[in-house]
Amino acid sequence: MEIIEEIARRRQEIVVENPGRAYSEIRDLLENRLSFDEVFEEKYFNDVDEGRIRTKVMLIEGQDKFTEEIIELYLSIDKETGKAEIQMKGKLETEYPTEKNYQQSLWYYAYRSLFDKFIYGETRGGYEEAVEHDLDHILRLVRENLEEDFNG
């Protein structure tokens, strides 16, 4: 049983100081300077003719036994204009175990639904603020490192 709840979205267009190095700097920032449990690139396109790089990076942070914070970061860099467009979507994904036969029954599903609504839902609600903070923090760090006229 899986429950996915979208928390927030952020979108920003920035003028980068060095468009040729922007992609590698963002990858370094996400992989090495932030402390997420898992960072991986799901898609990557480098269109040499148009001078554009597009990528989708997933950042995953475990919150507890059942819930993970997932941030999807979409990045598009236009080397000719020197602009980078960043779109981020933050969500919480709760997954309850379903390995055993009884965990696939209708009664277990009803139990987990009630458990999630009345008991665990409040706990997961406490993680929403952390997701929004992470989105804002990532966006601020990217702007701080890449934007031409950033003045914090």
Side-chain angles (χ1 to χ4, degrees):
M1 181 173 160
E2 187 175 71
I3 299 170
I4 299 172
E5 181 180 1
E6 185 175 320
I7 305 302
R9 290 178 183 242
R10 302 287 187 269
R11 182 180 177 147
Q12 187 79 49
E13 187 173 289
I14 60 175
V15 177
V16 294
E17 196 171 318
N18 187 346
R21 293 190 52 213
Y23 171 74
S24 60
E25 288 185 29
I26 290 174
R27 284 287 297 184
D28 179 59
L29 171 76
L30 297 175
E31 290 178 342
N32 300 323
R33 298 191 347 215
L34 293 173
S35 62
F36 281 88
D37 293 339
E38 189 177 348
V39 177
F40 64 93
E41 193 165 40
E42 198 168 88
K43 297 177 183 175
Y44 173 80
F45 303 102
N46 186 0
D47 190 344
V48 178
D49 296 335
E50 287 186 25
R52 179 178 297 271
I53 295 175
R54 293 181 326 218
T55 186
K56 176 183 177 185
V57 180
M58 303 290 288
L59 299 106
I60 300 173
E61 177 75 23
Q63 297 293 336
D64 63 22
K65 180 179 172 182
F66 299 119
T67 302
E68 294 181 325
E69 169 187 348
I70 299 175
I71 295 177
E72 296 176 5
L73 187 139
Y74 301 90
L75 175 66
S76 176
I77 301 170
D78 190 341
K79 293 180 183 177
E80 292 176 15
T81 62
K83 291 185 180 178
E85 183 179 339
I86 301 167
Q87 297 179 37
M88 293 188 295
K89 179 172 37 171
K91 56 187 176 180
L92 290 171
E93 184 175 310
T94 302
E95 189 169 345
Y96 296 114
T98 57
E99 295 90 32
K100 307 223 182 331
N101 284 338
Y102 75 89
Q103 293 173 330
Q104 296 173 10
S105 71
L106 180 62
W107 295 111
Y108 183 78
Y109 187 82
Y111 161 73
R112 277 297 179 195
S113 296
L114 290 172
F115 173 79
D116 190 75
K117 181 166 180 75
F118 294 111
I119 298 171
Y120 187 72
E122 188 176 318
T123 302
R124 188 177 53 243
Y127 299 141
E128 291 177 7
E129 189 175 313
V131 173
E132 289 193 33
H133 175 267
D134 286 345
L135 289 173
D136 293 335
H137 182 68
I138 291 169
L139 193 57
R140 187 182 60 74
L141 285 175
V142 168
R143 289 187 63 208
E144 196 174 277
N145 286 301
L146 298 178
E147 194 170 31
E148 242 176 6
D149 302 326
F150 182 76
N151 54 7

